[in-house]
Amino acid sequence: MTEVYPRVALIGLGLIASSMFWAMKRRGVVGHVTGYARSAATRDTARRIGLCDTVCDSAAEAVEDADLVVLAVPVGVMGDVAAEIAPYLKPGCTVTDVGSVKKTVIEAVAPHLPEGVHFVPGHPLAGTEHSGPESGFASLFDNRWCLLVPVEGAAPEAVETLTTFWQALGANVELMDAEHHDLVLAVTSHTPHLIAYTMVGVADDLRRVTDSEVIKYSAAGFRDFTRIAASDPTMWRDVFLNNKEATLEILGRFTEELFALQRAIRTGDGDHLHAYFTRTRAIRRGIIEAGQDTDAPNFGRTRTER
Amino acid sequence: MTEVYPRVALIGLGLIASSMFWAMKRRGVVGHVTGYARSAATRDTARRIGLCDTVCDSAAEAVEDADLVVLAVPVGVMGDVAAEIAPYLKPGCTVTDVGSVKKTVIEAVAPHLPEGVHFVPGHPLAGTEHSGPESGFASLFDNRWCLLVPVEGAAPEAVETLTTFWQALGANVELMDAEHHDLVLAVTSHTPHLIAYTMVGVADDLRRVTDSEVIKYSAAGFRDFTRIAASDPTMWRDVFLNNKEATLEILGRFTEELFALQRAIRTGDGDHLHAYFTRTRAIRRGIIEAGQDTDAPNFGRTRTER
Ligand SMILES: NC(=O)c1ccc[n+]([C@@H]2O[C@H](COP(=O)([O-])OP(=O)(O)OC[C@H]3O[C@@H](n4cnc5c(N)ncnc54)[C@H](OP(=O)(O)O)[C@@H]3O)[C@@H](O)[C@H]2O)c1
Ligand SMILES: NC(=O)c1ccc[n+]([C@@H]2O[C@H](COP(=O)([O-])OP(=O)(O)OC[C@H]3O[C@@H](n4cnc5c(N)ncnc54)[C@H](OP(=O)(O)O)[C@@H]3O)[C@@H](O)[C@H]2O)c1
């Protein structure tokens, strides 16, 4: 495969960045990859396991000469990192990110970037409940979506090259605007995650009543909620704080519908329940027809196997 | 394997009953199996695919001479079915059920059963989102729990024999009292299902805004909610109407916690969110340690393969 970018810098060396590294190396998509993470512990781990061709001790050093800079840190620190690297960016390079929220990340990052640098925000829809430099694997993005959210005035060539890059990593790329991205993700990912966290919290409270039975019989439906609720607390805190508006909007609708169902249970309105449960089947059929269901239903999370 | 019951009658020929039939045949656990379902269509299908040794045209006929009678119909009709078969039950036989709720089923069934008949209610914690006579498969209960909920005065021998029977079908058997069963299941299964149904309903409402994107990007977390929400509407209507008290109790706690998280998002209280998301990880660890997690997280649902 021809090189898409001669030099790539990964800022943040967690699940997403490390998966990107192994996926780049699998296909020989790029030349040299530098990496940087905040803690010396993570940088040491990266060096030990061969994550990145060069692990740098500062973000500035990592981005120098890079043709593509990937911000792969929690959403809440994207702005700080952008400010830190801005003076060292090579003119004409592309900066992208992998944050799960797009509108606030763009607002935080864009003002720091010098003219002549192409900012093309992105979001690969792939993950696991694991995090850190050792959790990545090359196939994470295979046949998953990567959404690119070009900001106004983004150079079409920069968007095209980044598209080629993500395709080489295994992903299918789509373009979307930031606001719409945040609403769609609030429905398909953020609110489901918040709900799962909540249900697990309730079960945790109830452990005194039910002893270990909640765990013992968790396979009855609850277990997958706990898989989600094991995801990184910092990442999810930042997602909810940064996709506040859309998440609160969807949550509002959710509680409205939940209250209607709750009232139907309380008043014994079986017809309401039956009609509701029948209607929701249509969406399921749509997903099967769209080929979005697989044998391993797992909240879009892939198992860790490198 | 020695015969546990010479003659078994299955009333209702859906997912659970048909899986029980194939599991019984796999191990030669019983002698002769009769079956009955409400509709002629289901009875015809059963005859066509060889489900049951004899498919009867009335429940009365099916239970005559049976040593074990299994009520495998929706929770809401258990009482009616019990009343219908009661006059034809063989003295000394065991009647069990597989309903997902236990307290109201016992209240509905027990009064109809004549003296000398042993009533041992049960609930196998296994299922898929499919239903009907063609959805069953022999391995559904393998290594899954089956909870038995003996009513006061149940003959210990009857409970023991039923335990042996379920073990021969592949399940691990535990005894539990009805009220506790209904609370534990409200946490591990019923409330998670209601929440998933609700989230899918919200997404369905939003389809106008997001076009088909909710479906397209469903793998980001939402997809598994839709799997649940494809389950049989009648079964779930009956579950919620019959486990009203425990479900409303858990739902009440759920909305309380959800409101607290919602407020934290609205006010930007990142510490609250982070602390909550950290706490829920402990439950996940417990489940992994208890060996209740598998490679195919699937809401306790197994794929249909006979
Ligand atoms: N995980 C998913 O499912 C998923 C999916 C799609 C997108 N995303 C997005 O991808 C991004 C990264 O997620 P991840 O799962 O890869 O996270 P992760 O495994 O927790 O890794 C985060 C990395 O960021 C580094 N970091 C944190 N603060 C930093 C700072 N101020 N300066 C430099 N480095 C810093 C961390 O360094 P230390 O190790 O030294 O702390 C760590 O290497 C997030 O924006 C997330 O929203 C995640
Ligand atoms: N599915 C699960 O995940 C699961 C798990 C554990 C326990 N359970 C419990 O198991 C029971 C059966 O569930 P299932 O999934 O096997 O259901 P299912 O596949 O929908 O089958 C239900 C069967 O009951 C029959 N039936 C309905 N009303 C009847 C009546 N008045 N008289 C005689 N037969 C009647 C139906 O007959 P027709 O086909 O003619 O309509 C059908 O054969 C329910 O109580 C459920 O709560 C289900």
Side-chain angles (χ1 to χ4, degrees), chain A:
Chain A
M1 165 124 216
T2 48
E3 246 174 56
V4 182
Y5 296 106
R7 296 182 69 92
V8 173
L10 300 171
I11 308 301
L13 294 172
L15 170 70
I16 300 298
S18 59
S19 296
M20 289 178 75
F21 178 76
W22 302 119
M24 287 187 252
K25 288 299 164 179
R26 179 181 64 171
R27 297 283 301 276
V29 185
V30 303
H32 187 268
V33 180
T34 56
Y36 167 76
R38 180 185 44 179
S39 71
T42 295
R43 298 195 298 269
D44 287 348
T45 302
R47 288 186 184 107
R48 182 170 51 74
I49 66 174
L51 173 61
C52 296
D53 299 313
T54 311
V55 175
C56 304
D57 281 323
S58 77
E61 204 186 316
V63 305
E64 259 175 358
D65 295 327
D67 304 288
L68 174 70
V69 174
V70 182
L71 308 181
V73 297
V75 162
V77 295
M78 293 278 184
D80 294 347
V81 171
E84 194 182 333
I85 61 171
Y88 309 96
L89 292 168
K90 182 163 89 171
C93 79
T94 293
V95 172
T96 189
D97 76 301
V98 296
S100 308
V101 179
K102 294 275 61 83
K103 198 158 156 274
T104 59
V105 167
I106 293 169
E107 285 164 5
V109 170
H112 296 294
L113 301 182
E115 277 213 42
V117 161
H118 305 290
F119 182 34
V120 188
H123 178 202
L125 304 188
T128 75
E129 78 268 29
H130 303 293
S131 55
E134 296 184 275
S135 59
F137 51 101
S139 61
L140 179 64
F141 309 110
D142 285 352
N143 217 8
R144 311 302 303 275
W145 293 104
C146 181
L147 303 178
L148 296 186
V149 180
V151 293
E152 228 170 302
E157 310 81 59
V159 178
E160 259 168 48
T161 309
L162 190 62
T163 300
T164 306
F165 171 79
W166 272 110
Q167 286 167 344
L169 265 54
N172 303 314
V173 176
E174 293 267 328
L175 303 187
M176 199 180 271
D177 78 64
E179 196 143 350
H180 196 67
H181 167 279
D182 289 356
L183 178 64
V184 169
L185 268 289
V187 182
T188 55
S189 174
H190 305 167
T191 309
H193 274 78
L194 191 74
I195 290 166
Y197 268 118
T198 308
M199 190 63 226
V200 174
V202 170
D204 189 40
D205 288 346
L206 271 162
R207 274 206 285 185
R208 264 143 286 146
V209 185
T210 62
D211 195 30
S212 64
E213 288 157 341
V214 164
I215 284 173
K216 191 164 172 184
Y217 306 121
S218 61
F222 175 66
R223 184 186 59 199
D224 281 350
F225 281 47
T226 70
R227 177 183 302 273
I228 296 186
S231 298
D232 185 61
T234 303
M235 165 182 161
W236 284 101
R237 176 199 64 197
D238 284 7
V239 165
F240 295 119
L241 294 180
N242 284 281
N243 200 13
K244 188 190 270 205
E245 213 181 297
T247 305
L248 290 178
E249 156 78 16
I250 303 301
L251 268 181
R253 288 166 181 260
F254 174 83
T255 45
E256 255 178 44
E257 303 247 0
L258 187 63
F259 284 163
L261 290 173
Q262 196 170 336
R263 189 174 337 102
I265 294 174
R266 197 184 300 281
T267 62
D269 185 351
D271 291 345
H272 180 95
L273 295 172
H274 195 277
Y276 198 94
F277 299 162
T278 302
R279 179 166 75 87
T280 52
R281 290 184 130 178
I283 278 234
R284 176 72 188 156
R285 273 195 296 271
I287 286 175
I288 290 172
E289 280 158 20
Q292 284 298 298
D293 193 44
T294 70
D295 269 1
N298 55 5
F299 281 93
R301 292 155 190 291
T302 325
R303 303 295 294 176
T304 306
E305 44 198 343
R306 200 173 286 156

Side-chain angles (χ1 to χ4, degrees), chain B residues 94-111:
Chain B
T94 293
V95 173
T96 189
D97 77 301
V98 295
S100 307
V101 180
K102 295 273 62 85
K103 198 156 155 277
T104 58
V105 166
I106 293 169
E107 284 164 8
V109 169

Side-chain angles (χ1 to χ4, degrees), chain B residues 2-298:
Chain B
T2 49
E3 246 175 55
V4 183
Y5 295 106
R7 295 182 69 92
V8 173
L10 300 171
I11 308 300
L13 293 173
L15 170 69
I16 300 297
S18 59
S19 295
M20 290 179 75
F21 178 76
W22 302 118
M24 287 187 252
K25 287 300 164 179
R26 179 182 65 171
R27 298 283 303 275
V29 186
V30 302
H32 187 267
V33 180
T34 56
Y36 167 76
R38 179 185 44 177
S39 70
T42 295
R43 298 196 298 270
D44 287 347
T45 301
R47 287 185 185 111
R48 182 170 51 77
I49 66 174
L51 173 61
C52 296
D53 299 313
T54 311
V55 176
C56 304
D57 281 322
S58 77
E61 204 185 319
V63 304
E64 259 175 358
D65 294 327
D67 304 288
L68 175 69
V69 174
V70 182
L71 308 181
V73 297
V75 161
V77 295
M78 292 277 184
D80 294 347
V81 171
E84 194 182 332
I85 60 171
Y88 308 95
L89 292 168
K90 184 164 89 171
C93 79
T94 293
V95 173
T96 189
D97 77 301
V98 295
S100 307
V101 180
K102 295 273 62 85
K103 198 156 155 277
T104 58
V105 166
I106 293 169
E107 284 164 8
V109 169
H112 296 295
L113 301 182
E115 277 212 44
V117 162
H118 305 289
F119 183 35
V120 187
H123 179 202
L125 304 188
T128 75
E129 78 269 29
H130 303 293
S131 55
E134 296 183 275
S135 59
F137 51 102
S139 61
L140 179 64
F141 309 109
D142 286 351
N143 216 9
R144 310 304 303 274
W145 293 104
C146 182
L147 303 179
L148 297 186
V149 180
V151 293
E152 230 171 302
E157 311 81 59
V159 177
E160 260 169 48
T161 310
L162 190 61
T163 299
T164 307
F165 170 79
W166 272 109
Q167 286 166 342
L169 264 53
N172 304 314
V173 176
E174 293 268 326
L175 303 187
M176 198 179 271
D177 79 65
E179 196 142 350
H180 196 66
H181 166 279
D182 289 357
L183 178 64
V184 169
L185 267 290
V187 181
T188 56
S189 174
H190 305 167
T191 309
H193 274 78
L194 192 75
I195 289 166
Y197 268 118
T198 307
M199 190 63 224
V200 175
V202 169
D204 189 40
D205 288 346
L206 271 162
R207 274 205 288 185
R208 262 144 288 143
V209 185
T210 62
D211 195 30
S212 63
E213 288 157 341
V214 164
I215 284 172
K216 192 162 171 185
Y217 306 121
S218 60
F222 175 65
R223 185 186 56 199
D224 281 350
F225 281 44
T226 69
R227 179 184 300 275
I228 295 186
S231 297
D232 187 61
T234 303
M235 166 181 161
W236 284 100
R237 176 198 64 197
D238 284 6
V239 165
F240 295 119
L241 293 180
N242 283 280
N243 200 11
K244 186 190 273 206
E245 213 180 299
T247 305
L248 290 178
E249 156 77 16
I250 302 304
L251 268 182
R253 288 166 181 261
F254 173 83
T255 45
E256 255 177 45
E257 304 247 1
L258 188 64
F259 284 162
L261 289 173
Q262 196 169 338
R263 189 174 337 102
I265 294 174
R266 197 184 300 281
T267 61
D269 184 351
D271 292 345
H272 180 96
L273 295 173
H274 196 277
Y276 198 93
F277 300 162
T278 303
R279 178 165 74 87
T280 52
R281 289 184 132 177
I283 277 232
R284 175 74 190 156
R285 274 197 294 274
I287 286 175
I288 290 170
E289 280 158 20
Q292 284 297 298
D293 193 43
T294 70
D295 269 2
N298 57 4

